[in-house]
Amino acid sequence: MDAQGHGRGDDIDPADQWVLNPETGDYELRLDSPPEQSSVPTPRRAPRPGAARAPGPRQPSDPAGRRASRGERPGQGARSRSSAPSRDESGTRDLPGQRRRRAAPPEPPDRRRGKAARKRPPKKSRGKRVLIWGSGALAVVLVGAGTSAYLYLEHLNSNIKTTDVGSAGAKGFSKDRAVNILVIGTDKRTGEGNGGYGDKNSAGHADTTLLLHVSEDRSNATAMSIPRDLITDIPDCPTKQSDGSTKVVPGSTQVRFNTSLGQGGRDAGCAMRTVTELTGVQVDHFMLADFDAVKTLTSAVGGVEVCVAKDIDDPKSHLKLSAGKHTIEGEQALAFVRTRDSFGNRSDLDRIQVQQQFLGSLMRKLKSDSTLSSPTRMLDLAEAATKALEVDTGIGSINKLKDVGLELKKVDPKNITFATLPVLNNPAEEVPTTVVVDEAKGEPLFAMIRDDVSLTEVKQQEKADAKKAKAAQAKLLEGPKSDPAEVRVNIYNGGAPAGSAQETLTWLQNNEGVLKSTQLGNAPAEVAKTQLAYAPDQADQARRLAEVMGLPASAMKPGESEENAQGLPAIVLTLGKDFKGAGVPVNAPTKAPEGIQKVEADKAVCSE
């Protein structure tokens, strides 16, 4: 409004309503009521934000000095000194009146734009407005995104089901060593639409089981399938109960492997213990999936491509496919991995091969650009995986599962090999329905997994110095070898089964002619690998003993020797956790045994 709109007289100069604020350098509109409009004393009001301050009562100090302290020049200020207010005895003040109109008043800023311009509050610069607005918006977005991400992670954590397997597994996942994960597919019929597949009241079995070994350097991985009808021993199994107590489920001898889970109250830790006893491979973690997992995971990645060599119409699994390639998901994917009447000789071993081909295709899809570059698909996958999987407490959080996934991602699919535990028909059955381990092929395969040897030719990218070190180590086994009767050796147990040092001593003396051998009990510390330490002038003796014991070059430790019981220098043999028994070579084979079934994950194969 103009002056008249506020009840002011025509003789008030509008220019006097604009006051220069010395702090901002801008003119500000001042609409204080003049004293002529009221004879009632007006209480002192606090200055409005951004408005020029009215000067207070006069002080006895020098007026010029007071103006200087406010940064004013003589004659400058919100008001001239002659119009400064004065106080009466009641503490109120009389406001000075507006000056009468001057002949040529100075035009206030934007006066020519009319009333609207005079009513606008002072503006911040455009740069400041953008900065303030942008900072506020960014803060809201960051806080909102951070809160949303935290809540979503908590939601995923709440999806994960865990089981405490105690000493059966590792306490946590490690990025700097090889890892062994038991992947179990159970035939438990829980879940929507799964009751028609069989006994929906069953506790479930270890229907499909793979031992996944990921190498220490993440260059390769081996997934070994274990037939569900394999006859083996199941050890006693401590299981955690819902009330926090521990119950030991008694073991069984010469029973099907699939009874290691679900039967008699056995949890996944029992299956882990069974695999460790069977193969000698220490299992670190488990992942358990049911029928729903197959359906939801395949849908989350947008389907998995499979190939069949002939038309399939299986009334039991309800699988119906024409010959050729197909992308399947959900119910159809479950039917594909369950069927065994459609391939080969309709055995469980043929079904294992089909499942391996399916899993290889799933791995390729998981690592494909269509999956990794789609935020929606990745979120669907995270949701499906956390709902579908049950894991041990060692990897029982979204952050730990993320670490596992990142480590698995490092392995090139061309270096992932699927193999099947070598078996023979059970000789105890007239009409074989079960199988037993083929020891001649099985033990070398187990040794390769234990010793972190790839089943696939892996192209190593080693540095020049690493290659030289490896070559130099191999040369330790080259050269002359002493006669066994001249070998003096002290034997220690550094983590091998109890009695191994005495067993080795007896075997060396009676079978190999190493007569100058002594066993000295337990080593000062346990070692993972068997070691043979020797002085430079004992290399001939060390090479002979390494040959006799079947030790690899990595077991050779040039250094100082020690004295034996007669005070004579002797080489030192420390039996590590990898020791398998006197006369059993410690070093693993470098190639997979001939005749074992294996499939490479990067190769698509049509199921027959």
Side-chain angles (χ1 to χ4, degrees):
M1 293 183 178
D2 57 14
Q4 289 82 352
H6 284 276
R8 301 184 180 180
D10 293 339
D11 59 348
I12 296 177
D13 185 355
D16 285 336
Q17 296 175 276
W18 288 89
V19 180
L20 178 67
N21 187 335
E23 296 180 0
T24 64
D26 294 334
Y27 282 92
E28 298 173 357
L29 185 63
R30 185 180 182 87
L31 298 177
D32 294 334
S33 300
E36 295 95 321
Q37 302 300 319
S38 174
S39 61
V40 180
T42 305
R44 185 176 183 180
R45 295 178 296 177
R48 294 186 304 277
R53 291 183 298 177
R58 297 181 62 180
Q59 301 295 327
S61 59
D62 177 26
R66 187 171 68 251
R67 286 194 301 270
S69 68
R70 294 199 304 265
E72 298 176 2
R73 295 185 300 273
Q76 180 186 17
R79 295 179 183 271
S80 65
R81 194 159 56 90
S82 62
S83 61
S86 62
R87 291 183 180 272
D88 60 16
E89 293 179 357
S90 65
T92 60
R93 62 172 182 155
D94 293 329
L95 295 178
Q98 300 278 7
R99 290 182 298 173
R100 299 301 176 182
R101 184 183 299 273
R102 291 173 294 182
E107 185 175 344
D110 289 338
R111 183 176 179 181
R112 60 185 177 275
R113 298 181 186 175
K115 301 175 184 179
R118 292 196 296 271
K119 291 194 294 182
R120 279 200 304 255
K123 291 185 178 181
K124 295 180 176 64
S125 69
R126 177 178 177 83
K128 289 182 179 179
R129 292 201 309 273
V130 171
L131 179 62
I132 293 173
W133 185 92
S135 300
L138 179 61
V140 171
V141 169
L142 289 177
V143 172
T147 303
S148 299
Y150 171 78
L151 293 176
Y152 186 65
L153 288 177
E154 287 299 299
H155 163 70
L156 292 179
N157 274 324
S158 68
N159 286 344
I160 301 171
K161 299 179 287 293
T162 61
T163 296
D164 186 350
V165 297
S167 60
K171 293 182 179 179
F173 178 73
S174 177
K175 298 180 181 180
D176 56 1
R177 63 176 175 80
V179 61
N180 299 306
I181 302 174
L182 195 65
V183 182
I184 309 171
T186 176
D187 57 359
K188 192 174 182 179
R189 265 65 175 177
T190 55
E192 184 178 353
N194 298 325
Y197 290 127
D199 182 8
K200 64 180 180 181
N201 297 316
S202 170
H205 303 76
D207 189 55
T208 300
T209 306
L210 297 99
L211 176 60
L212 175 63
H213 169 81
V214 184
S215 68
E216 182 177 348
D217 62 4
R218 307 304 187 240
S219 68
N220 66 90
T222 298
M224 183 181 72
S225 295
I226 303 174
R228 66 177 188 173
D229 295 327
L230 175 72
I231 296 299
T232 188
D233 294 340
I234 299 176
D236 293 345
C237 180
T239 60
K240 289 291 182 70
Q241 306 299 300
S242 58
D243 61 359
S245 63
T246 299
K247 174 185 175 181
V248 177
V249 180
S252 304
T253 58
Q254 295 300 288
V255 294
R256 279 180 165 87
F257 172 80
N258 68 346
T259 60
S260 64
L261 173 72
Q263 309 307 299
R266 292 181 176 124
D267 60 14
C270 299
M272 294 170 67
R273 288 182 168 89
T274 302
V275 172
T276 297
E277 291 287 329
L278 176 66
T279 65
V281 177
Q282 179 59 53
V283 182
D284 302 307
H285 306 286
F286 83 86
M287 293 183 178
L288 178 67
D290 58 15
F291 286 170
D292 275 344
V294 177
K295 295 191 286 188
T296 57
L297 288 173
T298 53
S299 295
V301 298
V304 176
E305 185 180 274
V306 297
C307 180
V308 292
K310 61 183 180 180
D311 293 344
I312 302 296
D313 189 357
D314 184 355
K316 291 184 179 179
S317 67
H318 309 293
L319 177 65
K320 190 172 184 178
L321 293 173
S322 60
K325 294 182 179 180
H326 301 270
T327 298
I328 59 175
E329 63 176 276
E331 205 75 41
Q332 196 176 32
L334 178 60
F336 185 85
V337 298
R338 289 191 65 250
T339 186
R340 64 175 180 176
D341 288 341
S342 302
F343 305 108
N345 60 8
R346 300 183 177 183
S347 70
D348 188 51
L349 297 179
D350 288 311
R351 186 178 71 157
I352 285 175
Q353 293 184 46
V354 172
Q355 291 171 346
Q356 291 174 349
Q357 293 161 14
F358 175 85
L359 290 173
S361 181
L362 176 59
M363 286 184 176
R364 293 193 297 272
K365 188 61 177 287
L366 286 171
K367 295 173 80 70
S368 67
D369 291 340
S370 63
T371 299
L372 298 176
S373 62
S374 171
T376 301
R377 188 163 288 175
M378 292 299 289
L379 289 176
D380 289 345
L381 185 59
E383 189 74 28
T386 53
K387 284 184 177 179
L389 296 177
E390 179 180 342
V391 299
D392 61 283
T393 51
I395 53 174
S397 72
I398 191 63
N399 283 331
K400 292 176 182 177
L401 285 175
K402 176 203 68 176
D403 290 340
V404 174
L406 291 175
E407 293 302 296
L408 294 177
K409 183 182 175 183
K410 296 176 181 177
V411 184
D412 193 320
K414 70 181 181 182
N415 294 328
I416 301 175
T417 303
F418 289 94
T420 302
L421 187 151
V423 295
L424 299 170
N425 287 332
N426 189 350
E429 298 175 338
E430 291 185 9
V431 180
T433 57
T434 60
V435 294
V436 296
V437 176
D438 183 348
E439 296 290 348
K441 296 178 181 177
E443 179 52 38
L445 178 58
F446 305 156
M448 292 182 73
I449 296 175
R450 287 193 300 263
D451 286 8
D452 201 17
V453 179
S454 174
L455 269 67
T456 307
E457 292 292 334
V458 181
K459 186 177 180 181
Q460 301 286 352
Q461 299 296 323
E462 297 178 334
K463 295 182 179 179
D465 57 344
K467 290 183 178 180
K468 290 179 181 179
K470 189 173 181 180
Q473 190 176 53
K475 287 183 178 180
L476 295 177
L477 294 176
E478 299 175 2
K481 301 178 179 67
S482 299
D483 186 272
E486 299 301 319
V487 176
R488 286 190 298 271
V489 56
N490 289 344
I491 306 168
Y492 292 91
N493 189 330
S500 293
Q502 181 60 46
E503 177 191 357
T504 301
L505 173 69
T506 302
W507 177 76
L508 287 175
Q509 291 181 341
N510 295 342
N511 295 67
E512 301 299 326
V514 183
L515 304 177
K516 299 176 182 178
S517 50
T518 307
Q519 76 92 0
L520 298 177
N522 291 332
E526 291 189 351
V527 293
K529 305 283 186 180
T530 298
Q531 299 177 357
L532 182 57
Y534 58 95
D537 60 351
Q538 297 171 319
D540 294 3
Q541 297 182 47
R543 283 191 286 267
R544 174 61 70 189
L545 188 61
E547 180 184 65
V548 169
M549 293 288 299
L551 299 178
S554 58
M556 307 290 281
K557 305 295 178 185
E560 296 182 0
S561 61
E562 63 182 29
E563 293 182 350
N564 63 7
Q566 291 75 38
L568 299 173
I571 60 179
V572 180
L573 175 65
T574 304
L575 306 177
K577 295 180 180 179
D578 62 340
F579 182 74
K580 305 177 184 68
V584 181
V586 172
N587 54 323
T590 57
K591 285 188 176 182
E594 291 292 332
I596 70 165
Q597 181 272 325
K598 62 177 185 175
V599 176
E600 294 180 7
D602 67 325
K603 296 179 180 178
V605 180
C606 282
S607 302
E608 299 179 355

